[in-house]
Amino acid sequence: MNRIPRKPGLVSLAFVFLVLPFVSACTGAESVTCESGLVCPGSRKCAISGDMCVSKTCGNTLTEAAEECDDGNNTDGDGCTSECFRESCGDGTTQRRIGELCDDGNQVGGDGCSANCRSVEICGNGVTDANTAEECDDGNTVSGDGCSVNCLTEGCGNGVVDRASQERCDDGNREGGDGCSADCSSTESCGNGIIDTIVGEVCDDGNRRPGDGCSADCRSNEQCGNRLLEPALGEVCDDGNRKSGDGCSENCTSTEQCGNGITDTTVGEVCDDGNRDDRDGCSADCRSNEQCGNGLVDSHVGEVCDDGDRDNGDGCSADCHSTERCGNGIIDRVVGEVCDDGNVQGKDECGPDCRSTDRCGNGVLDVGEQCDDGNNVDTDNCLSGCILATCGDGIKNTSQGRAEACDDGNTSDCGTCSHDCTQPQSLNPATGFITVAGFLWDSEIITIGAGSVRYGFEFDTNGYVASFNRRIIIDGIPLPPHETIADRLVEQIQLVADHGTYRLPITASRLAGTSTVKLVARDPGAAGNQLITESVSDSAFVVQSMSGGYGRDCPANKGCVVDDDCAQASPDGSRCSITPGRATGRCQPR
């Protein structure tokens, strides 16, 4: 800590003179009297100034005993006091000789004495004290000279409106958007003639009147395309541009929506009657004036076509109500139609081209007719359906130059007539034969089928047979007689033919005096013609597959005249389905 020396004042000196006569008697011979009359005891000496006593060693340039410094003199204000103590800011003594103007015992500014003790920190002292927020200090407290009365630099942001600098306001800062612009030139209010963009102005013509190119709030230049809606100018929209076709017209007077009463051709409108209704001369989408010949099909007013004109014979009638095509239900005589029943099938009182009444027997060869001999007789070369008589038409023709023996409605070998209609094919069941001979081994198999059912029959010597086969016992050595084995085979065939869910439609019997088993299909027809398979290794064992079955074999959709023509392979079989009035039909499931 710095020591703070005490310096005698005038009162001290007066006291010295008063007591001097008494002190002299007590001081002794070593005391010293200074020029000022001050008497210093023998252990001290007079300072150069003569107004104080100092240590005898202070001023000898040697720092001794309790001295803090010794600069070779006894003068204050040179960094070392007359009593040899250091002089510094913060020691509580104002050392003017070293430039101090104050010393409050610390080196902290902002408390009335600056950190360097050279300012009393008041505006007007000529020292700019940053700790007290001074921006300047020109040694006075007068404004208008570059430094204001409160020591702030005179300019925008000092809180003083400097008219000489063209300031209109000064709110103590340099920020815009708070009622005074950053350069203090505008009060940021609409109508002051200055465009303050920071507060949203896009114009300012010096007044608050709308309709003069700048709105009353200075936020619009009152032009279409500025993205601001100006109803006073007739705007109904403003999308920020001057283009049509984007939901706002180029003049901002239309939202380009059908029904607004404005015909917006840019978006394809040809009319707009102020509503979204059809049948009033302007369609609900404003794209048609609902007149035939405009190229638009206005179905809501009955149009089925519109080719852009009002002419007939070009694929669209003059009233736009017909496509002039056969089958549309409208008789278009201009294109040669004599009928139109709404289809192009024919055989329904109107030909497929609508140019004939399509009646067989009228002696006129209509579209779709193979012939028309003016009658409805089936025994001549033109049948009653106006088709040429041929084998497979289901009618036994007698006047073709060659007589048909039969006709089952097709030209295949299936059914009850041969493919060329020359040979009837009576119903006959299929037959087959199995001759049991030779040596038979365990697990050798025969399979027999008829229709959709097939069974396996397995020869067995050890009592084990696959679950899906029927057992034919051949145990014993030598083997049982072949006739006995044949009888056992017959027995097993008859069991599956007469019992169970899936029955084998075959009758089996052994030919007398032989070991041959005869198989006969229980149902006549070609469905019984099936293979008999076997795995017997001895070539003496012979099978003859089921064959000789005729009839009931035409597949689905094949021509027929009776049920016996159709296949019976399915559980329900099929039948010959004949449309009334026709000679032939088609095999269909029952």
Side-chain angles (χ1 to χ4, degrees):
M1 176 184 291
N2 293 331
R3 295 179 56 192
I4 303 175
R6 296 181 179 179
K7 297 181 180 180
L10 294 177
V11 176
S12 298
L13 293 175
F15 176 75
V16 170
F17 286 121
L18 288 175
V19 299
L20 185 58
F22 304 97
V23 174
S24 297
C26 301
T27 56
E30 293 184 1
S31 62
V32 178
T33 301
C34 302
E35 292 181 1
S36 63
L38 176 66
V39 178
C40 296
S43 61
R44 299 178 70 79
K45 68 178 181 177
C46 295
I48 295 176
S49 61
D51 57 359
M52 61 187 305
C53 296
V54 297
S55 172
K56 283 186 176 182
T57 61
C58 181
N60 63 2
T61 70
L62 299 176
T63 302
E64 302 172 299
E67 294 179 348
E68 293 180 351
C69 60
D70 195 321
D71 57 356
N73 63 59
N74 298 121
T75 304
D76 290 327
D78 59 357
C80 188
T81 67
S82 61
E83 293 188 356
C84 290
F85 294 110
R86 292 190 184 93
E87 292 177 323
S88 62
C89 177
D91 60 12
T93 300
T94 303
Q95 309 289 340
R96 296 189 182 280
R97 293 183 63 182
I98 61 175
E100 290 184 350
L101 296 179
C102 60
D103 196 319
D104 55 0
N106 63 61
Q107 291 184 330
V108 178
D111 56 359
C113 184
S114 64
N116 61 6
C117 298
R118 295 179 182 275
S119 173
V120 293
E121 297 183 327
I122 60 173
C123 179
N125 66 357
V127 179
T128 301
D129 297 300
N131 283 324
T132 58
E134 288 185 352
E135 296 180 352
C136 60
D137 196 319
D138 56 358
N140 63 61
T141 54
V142 178
S143 294
D145 58 357
C147 187
S148 68
V149 66
N150 55 1
C151 289
L152 296 176
T153 302
E154 290 183 323
C156 180
N158 63 4
V160 178
V161 180
D162 299 311
R163 301 290 182 186
S165 300
Q166 304 301 314
E167 289 186 352
R168 295 187 179 184
C169 59
D170 197 316
D171 55 359
N173 62 62
R174 298 293 297 274
E175 299 175 358
D178 57 358
C180 184
S181 62
D183 60 0
C184 298
S185 64
S186 172
T187 56
E188 298 181 329
S189 59
C190 178
N192 64 2
I194 299 174
I195 301 175
D196 296 298
T197 57
I198 196 170
V199 293
E201 291 186 353
V202 297
C203 60
D204 197 318
D205 56 359
N207 63 64
R208 299 291 295 273
R209 295 188 300 273
D212 58 357
C214 186
S215 62
D217 60 0
C218 297
R219 295 177 180 274
S220 171
N221 55 16
E222 299 182 325
Q223 295 179 352
C224 175
N226 62 5
R227 205 178 290 279
L228 296 173
L229 185 63
E230 308 284 352
L233 302 179
E235 292 185 350
V236 297
C237 60
D238 196 317
D239 57 358
N241 63 62
R242 299 293 297 272
K243 299 178 181 179
S244 293
D246 57 0
C248 186
S249 62
E250 62 182 8
N251 59 7
C252 297
T253 60
S254 174
T255 55
E256 299 181 327
Q257 295 179 344
C258 178
N260 64 3
I262 300 173
T263 302
D264 296 298
T265 57
T266 303
V267 294
E269 292 187 353
V270 298
C271 59
D272 197 317
D273 55 0
N275 63 61
R276 298 294 296 273
D277 300 327
D278 285 319
R279 301 183 181 86
D280 57 358
C282 186
S283 62
D285 61 0
C286 298
R287 297 178 181 273
S288 173
N289 56 14
E290 300 180 328
Q291 294 180 352
C292 178
N294 64 3
L296 298 172
V297 179
D298 296 300
S299 58
H300 51 275
V301 294
E303 291 186 353
V304 297
C305 61
D306 196 316
D307 56 359
D309 61 56
R310 299 294 297 272
D311 301 327
N312 284 316
D314 56 359
C316 185
S317 61
D319 60 2
C320 296
H321 287 179
S322 173
T323 55
E324 299 181 332
R325 294 179 181 175
C326 178
N328 63 4
I330 300 173
I331 301 175
D332 297 298
R333 300 191 182 280
V334 71
V335 293
E337 290 186 352
V338 297
C339 60
D340 197 316
D341 55 0
N343 63 67
V344 292
Q345 296 176 355
K347 299 295 182 181
D348 55 0
E349 302 300 322
C350 187
D353 60 358
C354 296
R355 298 175 182 272
S356 168
T357 56
D358 198 27
R359 294 176 183 175
C360 178
N362 61 5
V364 176
L365 185 63
D366 294 314
V367 175
E369 292 183 342
Q370 296 179 353
C371 58
D372 196 321
D373 56 1
N375 63 61
N376 291 308
V377 176
D378 284 326
T379 56
D380 55 15
N381 289 329
C382 186
L383 303 182
S384 58
C386 289
I387 59 175
L388 293 172
T390 60
C391 176
D393 57 23
I395 299 173
K396 183 179 178 181
N397 305 122
T398 59
S399 59
Q400 291 182 274
R402 61 176 182 83
E404 289 183 340
C406 57
D407 196 318
D408 58 1
N410 63 71
T411 55
S412 299
D413 281 328
C414 70
T416 57
C417 188
S418 62
H419 70 281
D420 57 2
C421 297
T422 61
Q423 182 67 46
Q425 297 180 155
S426 300
L427 286 177
N428 194 56
T431 58
F433 299 90
I434 301 173
T435 299
V436 179
F439 190 83
L440 300 176
W441 294 92
D442 181 74
S443 300
E444 291 182 324
I445 297 172
I446 308 169
T447 67
I448 304 171
S452 60
V453 180
R454 178 169 287 272
Y455 278 92
F457 301 88
E458 182 175 343
F459 296 114
D460 176 57
T461 63
N462 57 16
Y464 175 77
V465 176
S467 60
F468 46 81
N469 289 334
R470 305 298 297 183
R471 182 185 183 199
I472 310 298
I473 299 173
I474 60 171
D475 55 336
I477 296 178
L479 290 176
H482 290 139
E483 290 83 355
T484 300
I485 297 175
D487 288 338
R488 292 176 181 176
L489 177 60
V490 169
E491 178 183 3
Q492 290 300 316
I493 293 174
Q494 290 303 114
L495 282 175
V496 296
D498 298 331
H499 304 282
T501 302
Y502 302 101
R503 299 184 181 185
L504 183 64
I506 287 178
T507 297
S509 61
R510 182 170 63 85
L511 297 180
T514 71
S515 60
T516 298
V517 177
K518 180 180 181 180
L519 305 175
V520 180
R522 292 188 176 184
D523 295 320
N529 298 333
Q530 296 195 28
L531 290 175
I532 298 175
T533 66
E534 49 85 14
S535 64
V536 178
S537 59
D538 196 319
S539 59
F541 188 94
V542 179
V543 299
Q544 181 179 340
S545 293
M546 305 290 288
S547 62
Y550 292 103
R552 296 184 181 177
D553 56 348
C554 291
N557 293 317
K558 179 66 72 173
C560 61
V561 292
V562 294
D563 288 346
D564 284 340
D565 290 325
C566 300
Q568 301 292 311
S570 64
D572 296 330
S574 60
R575 66 184 181 86
C576 183
S577 177
I578 302 176
T579 301
R582 295 187 178 273
T584 61
R586 295 288 175 180
C587 290
Q588 300 291 339
R590 290 184 184 274

